[in-house]
PDB file of all heavy atoms in Angstrom:
ATOM      1  N   ILE A  94     156.415 109.929 144.597  1.00 93.00           N
ATOM      2  CA  ILE A  94     155.787 108.667 145.086  1.00 93.00           C
ATOM      3  C   ILE A  94     154.746 108.993 146.221  1.00 93.00           C
ATOM      4  O   ILE A  94     153.741 108.346 146.307  1.00 93.00           O
ATOM      5  CB  ILE A  94     156.988 107.838 145.640  1.00 93.00           C
ATOM      6  CG1 ILE A  94     157.859 107.425 144.404  1.00 93.00           C
ATOM      7  CG2 ILE A  94     156.477 106.642 146.368  1.00 93.00           C
ATOM      8  CD1 ILE A  94     159.109 106.628 144.833  1.00 93.00           C
ATOM      9  N   GLY A  95     155.034 109.936 147.054  1.00 93.00           N
ATOM     10  CA  GLY A  95     154.241 110.232 148.130  1.00 93.00           C
ATOM     11  C   GLY A  95     152.891 110.812 147.635  1.00 93.00           C
ATOM     12  O   GLY A  95     151.763 110.544 148.113  1.00 93.00           O
ATOM     13  N   CYS A  96     153.113 111.666 146.625  1.00 94.00           N
ATOM     14  CA  CYS A  96     151.941 112.326 146.040  1.00 94.00           C
ATOM     15  C   CYS A  96     150.921 111.307 145.416  1.00 94.00           C
ATOM     16  O   CYS A  96     149.684 111.393 145.518  1.00 94.00           O
ATOM     17  CB  CYS A  96     152.226 113.405 145.007  1.00 94.00           C
ATOM     18  SG  CYS A  96     153.037 114.857 145.805  1.00 94.00           S
ATOM     19  N   LEU A  97     151.558 110.395 144.583  1.00 95.00           N
ATOM     20  CA  LEU A  97     150.758 109.362 144.088  1.00 95.00           C
ATOM     21  C   LEU A  97     150.113 108.353 145.103  1.00 95.00           C
ATOM     22  O   LEU A  97     149.004 108.054 144.971  1.00 95.00           O
ATOM     23  CB  LEU A  97     151.628 108.483 143.066  1.00 95.00           C
ATOM     24  CG  LEU A  97     152.137 109.124 141.920  1.00 95.00           C
ATOM     25  CD1 LEU A  97     153.090 108.229 141.052  1.00 95.00           C
ATOM     26  CD2 LEU A  97     150.889 109.418 141.001  1.00 95.00           C
ATOM     27  N   GLY A  98     150.856 108.051 146.203  1.00 95.00           N
ATOM     28  CA  GLY A  98     150.236 107.342 147.310  1.00 95.00           C
ATOM     29  C   GLY A  98     149.086 108.059 147.902  1.00 95.00           C
ATOM     30  O   GLY A  98     148.072 107.366 148.228  1.00 95.00           O
ATOM     31  N   THR A  99     149.074 109.331 148.095  1.00 96.00           N
ATOM     32  CA  THR A  99     148.117 110.054 148.666  1.00 96.00           C
ATOM     33  C   THR A  99     146.834 110.095 147.789  1.00 96.00           C
ATOM     34  O   THR A  99     145.718 109.921 148.212  1.00 96.00           O
ATOM     35  CB  THR A  99     148.614 111.548 148.988  1.00 96.00           C
ATOM     36  OG1 THR A  99     149.641 111.569 149.830  1.00 96.00           O
ATOM     37  CG2 THR A  99     147.414 112.315 149.565  1.00 96.00           C
ATOM     38  N   ALA A 100     147.135 110.416 146.481  1.00 96.00           N
ATOM     39  CA  ALA A 100     146.025 110.271 145.539  1.00 96.00           C
ATOM     40  C   ALA A 100     145.241 109.007 145.453  1.00 96.00           C
ATOM     41  O   ALA A 100     144.109 108.939 145.388  1.00 96.00           O
ATOM     42  CB  ALA A 100     146.572 110.804 144.205  1.00 96.00           C
ATOM     43  N   ALA A 101     146.121 107.876 145.474  1.00 96.00           N
ATOM     44  CA  ALA A 101     145.537 106.516 145.373  1.00 96.00           C
ATOM     45  C   ALA A 101     144.768 106.266 146.641  1.00 96.00           C
ATOM     46  O   ALA A 101     143.559 105.737 146.451  1.00 96.00           O
ATOM     47  CB  ALA A 101     146.743 105.550 145.182  1.00 96.00           C
ATOM     48  N   ALA A 102     145.262 106.594 147.744  1.00 96.00           N
ATOM     49  CA  ALA A 102     144.511 106.316 149.085  1.00 96.00           C
ATOM     50  C   ALA A 102     143.181 107.115 149.038  1.00 96.00           C
ATOM     51  O   ALA A 102     142.080 106.641 149.449  1.00 96.00           O
ATOM     52  CB  ALA A 102     145.434 106.724 150.226  1.00 96.00           C
ATOM     53  N   LEU A 103     143.276 108.340 148.586  1.00 95.00           N
ATOM     54  CA  LEU A 103     142.067 109.184 148.604  1.00 95.00           C
ATOM     55  C   LEU A 103     141.012 108.650 147.674  1.00 95.00           C
ATOM     56  O   LEU A 103     139.963 108.527 147.861  1.00 95.00           O
ATOM     57  CB  LEU A 103     142.378 110.635 148.117  1.00 95.00           C
ATOM     58  CG  LEU A 103     141.202 111.626 148.047  1.00 95.00           C
ATOM     59  CD1 LEU A 103     140.543 111.774 149.385  1.00 95.00           C
ATOM     60  CD2 LEU A 103     141.779 112.906 147.502  1.00 95.00           C
ATOM     61  N   THR A 104     141.432 108.318 146.437  1.00 96.00           N
ATOM     62  CA  THR A 104     140.534 107.757 145.429  1.00 96.00           C
ATOM     63  C   THR A 104     139.949 106.416 145.850  1.00 96.00           C
ATOM     64  O   THR A 104     138.663 106.399 145.687  1.00 96.00           O
ATOM     65  CB  THR A 104     141.436 107.581 144.106  1.00 96.00           C
ATOM     66  OG1 THR A 104     141.886 108.865 143.637  1.00 96.00           O
ATOM     67  CG2 THR A 104     140.422 107.109 142.998  1.00 96.00           C
ATOM     68  N   TYR A 105     140.728 105.613 146.403  1.00 96.00           N
ATOM     69  CA  TYR A 105     140.038 104.311 146.759  1.00 96.00           C
ATOM     70  C   TYR A 105     139.242 104.568 147.888  1.00 96.00           C
ATOM     71  O   TYR A 105     138.185 103.892 148.088  1.00 96.00           O
ATOM     72  CB  TYR A 105     141.274 103.286 147.102  1.00 96.00           C
ATOM     73  CG  TYR A 105     140.803 101.835 147.321  1.00 96.00           C
ATOM     74  CD1 TYR A 105     140.048 101.217 146.352  1.00 96.00           C
ATOM     75  CD2 TYR A 105     141.016 101.265 148.539  1.00 96.00           C
ATOM     76  CE1 TYR A 105     139.550  99.997 146.603  1.00 96.00           C
ATOM     77  CE2 TYR A 105     140.457  99.951 148.809  1.00 96.00           C
ATOM     78  CZ  TYR A 105     139.666  99.282 147.914  1.00 96.00           C
ATOM     79  OH  TYR A 105     139.148  98.143 148.167  1.00 96.00           O
ATOM     80  N   GLY A 106     139.604 105.431 148.853  1.00 95.00           N
ATOM     81  CA  GLY A 106     138.793 105.686 150.051  1.00 95.00           C
ATOM     82  C   GLY A 106     137.432 106.240 149.664  1.00 95.00           C
ATOM     83  O   GLY A 106     136.439 105.913 150.251  1.00 95.00           O
ATOM     84  N   LEU A 107     137.387 107.125 148.651  1.00 95.00           N
ATOM     85  CA  LEU A 107     136.146 107.726 148.143  1.00 95.00           C
ATOM     86  C   LEU A 107     135.321 106.625 147.564  1.00 95.00           C
ATOM     87  O   LEU A 107     134.172 106.539 147.612  1.00 95.00           O
ATOM     88  CB  LEU A 107     136.413 108.983 147.227  1.00 95.00           C
ATOM     89  CG  LEU A 107     136.911 110.142 148.091  1.00 95.00           C
ATOM     90  CD1 LEU A 107     137.351 111.215 146.993  1.00 95.00           C
ATOM     91  CD2 LEU A 107     135.933 110.768 149.038  1.00 95.00           C
ATOM     92  N   TYR A 108     135.984 105.803 146.806  1.00 96.00           N
ATOM     93  CA  TYR A 108     135.248 104.724 146.204  1.00 96.00           C
ATOM     94  C   TYR A 108     134.665 103.815 147.156  1.00 96.00           C
ATOM     95  O   TYR A 108     133.392 103.442 147.039  1.00 96.00           O
ATOM     96  CB  TYR A 108     136.246 103.931 145.206  1.00 96.00           C
ATOM     97  CG  TYR A 108     135.745 102.701 144.582  1.00 96.00           C
ATOM     98  CD1 TYR A 108     134.869 102.776 143.500  1.00 96.00           C
ATOM     99  CD2 TYR A 108     136.079 101.399 145.079  1.00 96.00           C
ATOM    100  CE1 TYR A 108     134.217 101.570 142.936  1.00 96.00           C
ATOM    101  CE2 TYR A 108     135.450 100.241 144.567  1.00 96.00           C
ATOM    102  CZ  TYR A 108     134.638 100.473 143.469  1.00 96.00           C
ATOM    103  OH  TYR A 108     134.018  99.377 142.900  1.00 96.00           O
ATOM    104  N   CYS A 109     135.324 103.545 148.166  1.00 95.00           N
ATOM    105  CA  CYS A 109     134.719 102.622 149.289  1.00 95.00           C
ATOM    106  C   CYS A 109     133.624 103.211 149.939  1.00 95.00           C
ATOM    107  O   CYS A 109     132.653 102.667 150.264  1.00 95.00           O
ATOM    108  CB  CYS A 109     135.931 102.147 150.243  1.00 95.00           C
ATOM    109  SG  CYS A 109     137.103 101.016 149.482  1.00 95.00           S
ATOM    110  N   PHE A 110     133.751 104.635 150.149  1.00 95.00           N
ATOM    111  CA  PHE A 110     132.754 105.351 150.762  1.00 95.00           C
ATOM    112  C   PHE A 110     131.375 105.353 149.973  1.00 95.00           C
ATOM    113  O   PHE A 110     130.320 105.242 150.561  1.00 95.00           O
ATOM    114  CB  PHE A 110     133.131 106.742 151.158  1.00 95.00           C
ATOM    115  CG  PHE A 110     132.213 107.633 151.700  1.00 95.00           C
ATOM    116  CD1 PHE A 110     131.875 107.511 153.009  1.00 95.00           C
ATOM    117  CD2 PHE A 110     131.535 108.615 150.928  1.00 95.00           C
ATOM    118  CE1 PHE A 110     130.912 108.240 153.681  1.00 95.00           C
ATOM    119  CE2 PHE A 110     130.543 109.447 151.521  1.00 95.00           C
ATOM    120  CZ  PHE A 110     130.343 109.304 152.971  1.00 95.00           C
ATOM    121  N   HIS A 111     131.620 105.441 148.640  1.00 95.00           N
ATOM    122  CA  HIS A 111     130.451 105.471 147.694  1.00 95.00           C
ATOM    123  C   HIS A 111     129.797 104.067 147.715  1.00 95.00           C
ATOM    124  O   HIS A 111     128.562 104.119 147.590  1.00 95.00           O
ATOM    125  CB  HIS A 111     130.942 105.809 146.330  1.00 95.00           C
ATOM    126  CG  HIS A 111     129.971 105.765 145.167  1.00 95.00           C
ATOM    127  ND1 HIS A 111     128.963 106.618 145.218  1.00 95.00           N
ATOM    128  CD2 HIS A 111     129.570 104.906 144.275  1.00 95.00           C
ATOM    129  CE1 HIS A 111     128.040 106.419 144.206  1.00 95.00           C
ATOM    130  NE2 HIS A 111     128.577 105.360 143.627  1.00 95.00           N
ATOM    131  N   ARG A 112     130.521 103.013 147.890  1.00 95.00           N
ATOM    132  CA  ARG A 112     130.028 101.560 147.933  1.00 95.00           C
ATOM    133  C   ARG A 112     129.431 101.268 149.229  1.00 95.00           C
ATOM    134  O   ARG A 112     128.907 100.179 149.389  1.00 95.00           O
ATOM    135  CB  ARG A 112     131.018 100.630 147.474  1.00 95.00           C
ATOM    136  CG  ARG A 112     131.665 101.007 146.159  1.00 95.00           C
ATOM    137  CD  ARG A 112     131.469 100.034 145.059  1.00 95.00           C
ATOM    138  NE  ARG A 112     131.078  98.691 145.517  1.00 95.00           N
ATOM    139  CZ  ARG A 112     131.096  97.605 144.919  1.00 95.00           C
ATOM    140  NH1 ARG A 112     131.682  97.683 143.719  1.00 95.00           N
ATOM    141  NH2 ARG A 112     130.690  96.518 145.241  1.00 95.00           N
ATOM    142  N   GLY A 113     129.650 102.164 150.296  1.00 95.00           N
ATOM    143  CA  GLY A 113     129.128 101.916 151.653  1.00 95.00           C
ATOM    144  C   GLY A 113     129.957 100.983 152.419  1.00 95.00           C
ATOM    145  O   GLY A 113     129.476 100.578 153.654  1.00 95.00           O
ATOM    146  N   GLN A 114     131.222 100.826 152.085  1.00 94.00           N
ATOM    147  CA  GLN A 114     132.151 100.046 152.824  1.00 94.00           C
ATOM    148  C   GLN A 114     132.887 101.128 153.903  1.00 94.00           C
ATOM    149  O   GLN A 114     134.029 101.533 153.548  1.00 94.00           O
ATOM    150  CB  GLN A 114     133.236  99.380 152.017  1.00 94.00           C
ATOM    151  CG  GLN A 114     132.612  98.495 151.057  1.00 94.00           C
ATOM    152  CD  GLN A 114     133.626  98.087 149.997  1.00 94.00           C
ATOM    153  OE1 GLN A 114     134.653  98.504 149.743  1.00 94.00           O
ATOM    154  NE2 GLN A 114     133.298  96.821 149.462  1.00 94.00           N
ATOM    155  N   SER A 115     132.324 101.482 154.965  1.00 93.00           N
ATOM    156  CA  SER A 115     132.716 102.413 155.808  1.00 93.00           C
ATOM    157  C   SER A 115     133.972 102.082 156.572  1.00 93.00           C
ATOM    158  O   SER A 115     134.958 102.958 156.762  1.00 93.00           O
ATOM    159  CB  SER A 115     131.620 102.847 156.842  1.00 93.00           C
ATOM    160  OG  SER A 115     131.271 101.698 157.695  1.00 93.00           O
ATOM    161  N   GLN A 116     134.175 100.914 156.927  1.00 95.00           N
ATOM    162  CA  GLN A 116     135.385 100.493 157.542  1.00 95.00           C
ATOM    163  C   GLN A 116     136.636 100.576 156.682  1.00 95.00           C
ATOM    164  O   GLN A 116     137.734 101.181 157.074  1.00 95.00           O
ATOM    165  CB  GLN A 116     135.301  98.952 158.021  1.00 95.00           C
ATOM    166  CG  GLN A 116     134.368  98.793 159.210  1.00 95.00           C
ATOM    167  CD  GLN A 116     134.820  99.386 160.576  1.00 95.00           C
ATOM    168  OE1 GLN A 116     135.981  99.666 160.688  1.00 95.00           O
ATOM    169  NE2 GLN A 116     133.838  99.658 161.426  1.00 95.00           N
ATOM    170  N   ARG A 117     136.482 100.190 155.446  1.00 95.00           N
ATOM    171  CA  ARG A 117     137.593 100.274 154.479  1.00 95.00           C
ATOM    172  C   ARG A 117     137.846 101.727 154.115  1.00 95.00           C
ATOM    173  O   ARG A 117     138.998 102.205 153.909  1.00 95.00           O
ATOM    174  CB  ARG A 117     137.175  99.516 153.218  1.00 95.00           C
ATOM    175  CG  ARG A 117     138.134  99.516 151.958  1.00 95.00           C
ATOM    176  CD  ARG A 117     139.455  98.641 152.224  1.00 95.00           C
ATOM    177  NE  ARG A 117     139.231  97.428 152.706  1.00 95.00           N
ATOM    178  CZ  ARG A 117     139.528  96.285 152.064  1.00 95.00           C
ATOM    179  NH1 ARG A 117     140.093  96.428 150.879  1.00 95.00           N
ATOM    180  NH2 ARG A 117     139.397  95.114 152.647  1.00 95.00           N
ATOM    181  N   SER A 118     136.730 102.391 153.921  1.00 95.00           N
ATOM    182  CA  SER A 118     136.884 104.015 153.774  1.00 95.00           C
ATOM    183  C   SER A 118     137.650 104.717 154.892  1.00 95.00           C
ATOM    184  O   SER A 118     138.465 105.442 154.499  1.00 95.00           O
ATOM    185  CB  SER A 118     135.498 104.546 153.532  1.00 95.00           C
ATOM    186  OG  SER A 118     135.602 105.999 153.458  1.00 95.00           O
ATOM    187  N   GLN A 119     137.248 104.341 156.100  1.00 96.00           N
ATOM    188  CA  GLN A 119     137.992 104.979 157.189  1.00 96.00           C
ATOM    189  C   GLN A 119     139.608 104.603 157.182  1.00 96.00           C
ATOM    190  O   GLN A 119     140.407 105.446 157.494  1.00 96.00           O
ATOM    191  CB  GLN A 119     137.404 104.523 158.525  1.00 96.00           C
ATOM    192  CG  GLN A 119     136.239 105.121 158.838  1.00 96.00           C
ATOM    193  CD  GLN A 119     136.365 106.723 159.067  1.00 96.00           C
ATOM    194  OE1 GLN A 119     137.358 107.053 159.701  1.00 96.00           O
ATOM    195  NE2 GLN A 119     135.514 107.588 158.618  1.00 96.00           N
ATOM    196  N   LEU A 120     139.856 103.261 156.968  1.00 95.00           N
ATOM    197  CA  LEU A 120     141.184 102.798 156.746  1.00 95.00           C
ATOM    198  C   LEU A 120     141.942 103.670 155.663  1.00 95.00           C
ATOM    199  O   LEU A 120     143.092 104.022 155.858  1.00 95.00           O
ATOM    200  CB  LEU A 120     141.274 101.247 156.452  1.00 95.00           C
ATOM    201  CG  LEU A 120     142.650 100.609 156.277  1.00 95.00           C
ATOM    202  CD1 LEU A 120     143.436 100.837 157.650  1.00 95.00           C
ATOM    203  CD2 LEU A 120     142.568  99.294 155.885  1.00 95.00           C
ATOM    204  N   MET A 121     141.308 103.811 154.614  1.00 95.00           N
ATOM    205  CA  MET A 121     141.914 104.510 153.510  1.00 95.00           C
ATOM    206  C   MET A 121     142.183 106.004 153.727  1.00 95.00           C
ATOM    207  O   MET A 121     143.197 106.662 153.373  1.00 95.00           O
ATOM    208  CB  MET A 121     141.227 104.426 152.240  1.00 95.00           C
ATOM    209  CG  MET A 121     141.145 103.063 151.590  1.00 95.00           C
ATOM    210  SD  MET A 121     142.701 102.603 150.912  1.00 95.00           S
ATOM    211  CE  MET A 121     143.661 101.831 152.171  1.00 95.00           C
ATOM    212  N   MET A 122     141.227 106.608 154.617  1.00 95.00           N
ATOM    213  CA  MET A 122     141.495 107.953 154.900  1.00 95.00           C
ATOM    214  C   MET A 122     142.656 108.103 155.925  1.00 95.00           C
ATOM    215  O   MET A 122     143.491 109.050 155.845  1.00 95.00           O
ATOM    216  CB  MET A 122     140.238 108.609 155.497  1.00 95.00           C
ATOM    217  CG  MET A 122     139.124 108.776 154.583  1.00 95.00           C
ATOM    218  SD  MET A 122     139.560 109.767 153.140  1.00 95.00           S
ATOM    219  CE  MET A 122     139.398 108.664 151.784  1.00 95.00           C
TER     220      MET A 122
END
């Protein structure tokens, strides 16, 4: 469960970073 949560946060954070949403990307990291 922790591994899946880590992967999900990383994936969504990188997606937000790519889209230019720096605040959301920082939160996800």
Side-chain angles (χ1 to χ4, degrees):
I94 291 170
C96 290
L97 288 174
T99 301
L103 175 64
T104 303
Y105 188 60
L107 289 174
Y108 173 75
C109 290
F110 180 75
H111 178 70
R112 302 246 345 201
Q114 300 171 340
S115 62
Q116 292 291 338
R117 175 78 43 122
S118 176
Q119 284 293 318
L120 177 67
M121 289 289 90
M122 290 302 114

